[in-house]
Amino acid sequence: MSKKILWINPVTTELYNQTFKEEYEKVKQSDTIVDVVSLKPAPGPIHLEYNCYEGMIMPELLETIYKAEKDGYDAAIIGCFYDPLIRAAREISKKMVITAPAEASLNLASTLGESISIIVGRDKWIPEMKENVHKYGCINKLASFKSVNLGVTDFQKDHAETEKRIKQAAREAMEIDGADVIILGCTMEFGFFNVIQRELEIPIIDASLAPFKYAEYLVEMKQKFNWSHSKRIGYQSPPDKEIHEWGLFKQKASL
Amino acid sequence: MSKKILWINPVTTELYNQTFKEEYEKVKQSDTIVDVVSLKPAPGPIHLEYNCYEGMIMPELLETIYKAEKDGYDAAIIGCFYDPLIRAAREISKKMVITAPAEASLNLASTLGESISIIVGRDKWIPEMKENVHKYGCINKLASFKSVNLGVTDFQKDHAETEKRIKQAAREAMEIDGADVIILGCTMEFGFFNVIQRELEIPIIDASLAPFKYAEYLVEMKQKFNWSHSKRIGYQSPPDKEIHEWGLFKQKASL
Amino acid sequence: MSKKILWINPVTTELYNQTFKEEYEKVKQSDTIVDVVSLKPAPGPIHLEYNCYEGMIMPELLETIYKAEKDGYDAAIIGCFYDPLIRAAREISKKMVITAPAEASLNLASTLGESISIIVGRDKWIPEMKENVHKYGCINKLASFKSVNLGVTDFQKDHAETEKRIKQAAREAMEIDGADVIILGCTMEFGFFNVIQRELEIPIIDASLAPFKYAEYLVEMKQKFNWSHSKRIGYQSPPDKEIHEWGLFKQKASL
Amino acid sequence: MSKKILWINPVTTELYNQTFKEEYEKVKQSDTIVDVVSLKPAPGPIHLEYNCYEGMIMPELLETIYKAEKDGYDAAIIGCFYDPLIRAAREISKKMVITAPAEASLNLASTLGESISIIVGRDKWIPEMKENVHKYGCINKLASFKSVNLGVTDFQKDHAETEKRIKQAAREAMEIDGADVIILGCTMEFGFFNVIQRELEIPIIDASLAPFKYAEYLVEMKQKFNWSHSKRIGYQSPPDKEIHEWGLFKQKASL
Amino acid sequence: MSKKILWINPVTTELYNQTFKEEYEKVKQSDTIVDVVSLKPAPGPIHLEYNCYEGMIMPELLETIYKAEKDGYDAAIIGCFYDPLIRAAREISKKMVITAPAEASLNLASTLGESISIIVGRDKWIPEMKENVHKYGCINKLASFKSVNLGVTDFQKDHAETEKRIKQAAREAMEIDGADVIILGCTMEFGFFNVIQRELEIPIIDASLAPFKYAEYLVEMKQKFNWSHSKRIGYQSPPDKEIHEWGLFKQKASL
Amino acid sequence: MSKKILWINPVTTELYNQTFKEEYEKVKQSDTIVDVVSLKPAPGPIHLEYNCYEGMIMPELLETIYKAEKDGYDAAIIGCFYDPLIRAAREISKKMVITAPAEASLNLASTLGESISIIVGRDKWIPEMKENVHKYGCINKLASFKSVNLGVTDFQKDHAETEKRIKQAAREAMEIDGADVIILGCTMEFGFFNVIQRELEIPIIDASLAPFKYAEYLVEMKQKFNWSHSKRIGYQSPPDKEIHEWGLFKQKASL
């Protein structure tokens, strides 16, 4: 039984879609089919550092998810460490599983270690992310947030500089804050976990790889045991009648 | 110094705008100017019981807020008890104060009593609202959520029935769950607090009146002491450059 | 409808009563009548840094509150950041609203920011105040307490020195502890918020102004909606019979 | 080394002093000397169900404690389950240890069981007591408060009725709320623990006996290891200079 | 790359080893090799309802784990919902990943729903399991524990009766306690999840299947990204020198 | 009524048994009989820094406790600051009370101060101990863990060095972390509390003395009021039938 997974970069640039797809092809299970899309129309937010940018791309994000279910995907991943609109995505998905970077990374980190630090780009991100650390039950295991003073779009500009900053922040998290596991708290921090992990010798979790693999795991749970998001209370789906009358979610053509 | 306040019904119906405005005119401070708007375009969500409906109206909501600041409002209120996108609204408001029903009602309730129950329409609403009860620091004071099994659009259909159900739920909250203060957890539960309060003899907080008055209070804090939302971390504003390049928030004509 | 508000300096010196009254006259709403009293008899505590001093002035404080209600005040404010005996004050007030600096300042701070630091005079004060931060639901938002090593009666001695110390503490709270809003945790720290706020550009909340304005807000809630302290459980009033038999509260002459 | 312990009934009736003393004589260690006093002057509160009654007796209570240290007592117990003014008492005691019923009973209960219910007289008492359950770190172990609808002065009126009500409440706590240990949350509930304990076969902790024995234990810790209340931060003593200038604590003649 | 997984029934009966192995063969990934063992010597505990039984089998459990790593297993699962000695197992495993039913089931449940109930055999189990619900960060999502009044060895005796009781408890958890996801809190509750899930239409998580699949997932994380238990602090391995000098873990022959 | 108390050094060395016994003889109550034993067989763990060492000595520990009850002890103390297997020990003790260093020290510390630091040997110990700080309700009072970088067996090697390190750590805990009470978090840190306490002038709690005295206190509670561990839920004893059939606990000869 194949697993058809859609990674959504919830921004209006396709710049990294190909790179992400290639990375996922390397690490996917043999029966997984993976696609990577971003949102339209450009110009629009190419990062979501501000909650108001999240707000602006939400209809497009939801339409992408709604369309993905129709197109037969088994899972969709909302590719931003704020996990934007994960509840809404689960509401409109009757068959797909939905996950996102913070949920997946924190669940994994709390199995691998007991004191978690999250490396972010800017202090600005911390309060919203901290709400998620609470929500996902990891606040007692949070050692620290560490900011490297880079924007989302800076991480991939000067790889040596980015690596140096992340490594330094991770080392301080480990040595001063007592972290025994590190999460790179932005999907754009991809490409660095491995070299830092080898040097620091503690798990460094990549926020683009972790949710992709967690999605595969969740799809397998769905396929084998029919364990999927509960539709009883908080993830209940809206009535089709309202969706149709209000013309919601359906404007998108095929992905 | 006048206070110009905008109540936003974040739905695509104007059905209750006039009623709300009239209510606010009755209870406002003398120097307050109040307007009530809803969102466009119809057809679209006329309630936000589902998080995915919240998602769909978010750009319009943000544009309304962005426009409100330009139009000289001192405060904007996001008129839904989920307090949708309150962080985003505070980011894009450099001068306006922003509040919403759950924040205002919970702050007031925790000054008036010590054990709070929230009367909701459906169980579906509880998990998202509970996240806010956590966020606003009231989880230790939460006695219960009570559901009356009515949708947002049902509350004003049969006033006798609605009153009966809310009163019954409030009484159980008081007598069984030990609540000493009640919040009516939907702005559409307006019109009932007074009669129930007189009967049960505990504060029954109306979720459309409380945030309106809290907004007046916050505007006064801003005008007299320049105490307003901190722009240092979580409510930092996005750079104008990005807003302009991506064409955000500005599509709306005058309110 | 006028609002008659009594600020109680719960100490046996009248030294700052006039200053406070003048400050409140400047910032009050037009329909507010404000009085400031302190306690008798002198000599007695002129500050409440120690919980045992709080204990010693409590009967006089309660009598003042009891008398205030008879004299027609709409609100009484217990003017010490420990919020001493706020429950007792609410018990004996059947019509007045009661508030105090920590409650008012923390409620406001948690609307304005997400990470709160409190500037105190001495470390001694912290444990008792921390109990209140818990009680008022703000412990998850507490960035730090910072002590400036000054007693209550020192704050107004050398204004330049006090300002320097508070500013330095506030700056460290902001830059090191990550605070985005500051509370000056003693009513005697009055007179400094404005200059520090302009320099640090985050809200600096004054603990004598915040509760005064919160009292006006609460009185308006009472007058317009009859929303006042719940008398059902924890703020229940004692039976008049016992008050009379035991001769409680009534020894005081007119204020 | 003898242990001189003072139990303070913080009320203005001597009605139960002799009974308490006789009970303590039966269960004390051989080297313990125990005295029981109440407060003056009568008429005054003969129970402290209301926080405002607590407020009224506080100076007398503090003076009694201050005098007790001068009279050479090794421990003083504030005999009310609200643990009124325990911080103040520790401030003014430089040599004595101070404890109170809630602290002692909760510490013991959390060693004996894992799920604690507290039997109170009226719902009114619960919010103030719950603040103490938080403070003493037992909130996660709290199964329930159960009210028997009796005032403090009712418990000893009709022993059969009181026993019946407490037993019924304790049984419900055990069978419905899952308690495995019960605290009788008022010192006036004395005389009942034993018979109910034998019947229910779980520990029923008496709030007058538990703190007396805990005081003996604490005195021994002081005498043998000099482990006593830390004077570094929250229990710091006020300066003698202020005490003398303001004439505090010293009005009391010998006990 | 194959995944060699060992399920350890930490009891001294082999009664269900074959059944478990057959179940795992049905649901495993194609490249997984699974073995099921129990402990020696019999007679000994055939269930671990009591913590003292857990204590008695711990050396044998650790030896089994120590041996498993030498035998080339990639993961070991401690097959009891108390997750006994999971820290110790992670200490002595330098290459293997370790998981257990409560960790795996709670992580999954908190992704699938927001309000979790756990169906246990007896009330006796609850306090120890509740400590784990805390540890795994799910206490805020815990709706209830429900006991069906069956011992571990009773679950498989009368399938119709067991199914009836579990279904009834799950239904009450859902309808009364508000659970939207259920965990069957004992590995011996196997065989029932599917039929109950179909009827109640919320996820019913089987505590023997969930950790097996979570182990496969964790092994994949280890194999592909070298993300495994952090050895820096709490899961640090003991020095080989001590293991050898004290003759620890090595008594076991091949599995 | 005499109190027969057994201190168990849960390690396979008798090296400090005599020293401990002598210390307890000095500080015991006159009617207390104290014995100190360690475990067999040697060679085996002589410290329990690793949870896997705890696991290996558990049967021997339980057998020692089981035997102790038969031998008429009134209390047994599990002499390791991890409080290993305290639940199991309470299960198998029908008459004895059981305590351990972390429980006893934390209960005492939270009565003596409000901000607790724990001096440990290595960072490795912290996560497991922190779970206990949570369990015992002291997490809100925890100022810090401080590690002195010494193993359990190092503390008594070079007394001057150990004293220097502990004193330095305690001083930092007090001055930087704000602790007002210190716990020496290992029974092998004995012999240092007094000199450090005199110098720092805050309570320094010794983890071998505190539980011994707490055991005396608990025995007295048992003897005078029959207040002992509740057998209703979590500390329920296993059925004798299973103990006998499985040959548990009884292999030990007399102590």
Side-chain angles (χ1 to χ4, degrees), chain B residues 137-189:
Chain B
C138 294
I139 200 70
N140 288 331
K141 298 185 187 106
L142 182 69
S144 60
F145 280 96
K146 301 288 290 181
S147 168
V148 296
N149 213 16
L150 289 173
V152 166
T153 57
D154 298 329
F155 284 119
Q156 299 294 333
K157 280 182 180 158
D158 178 344
H159 287 198
E161 177 67 19
T162 301
E163 183 186 316
K164 197 188 81 180
R165 291 194 189 190
I166 294 179
K167 195 188 294 175
Q168 174 63 16
R171 189 184 297 282
E172 287 173 17
M174 184 174 83
E175 294 180 352
I176 298 172
D177 306 328
D180 67 349
V181 54
I182 302 283
I183 296 172
L184 304 183
C186 176
T187 60
M188 278 301 112
E189 296 181 56

Side-chain angles (χ1 to χ4, degrees), chain F residues 48-64:
Chain F
L48 299 184
E49 293 189 38
Y50 295 89
N51 187 236
C52 59
Y53 296 171
E54 293 181 82
M56 292 309 285
I57 57 82
M58 282 179 174
E60 183 79 11
L61 173 59
L62 288 179
E63 287 164 17
T64 304

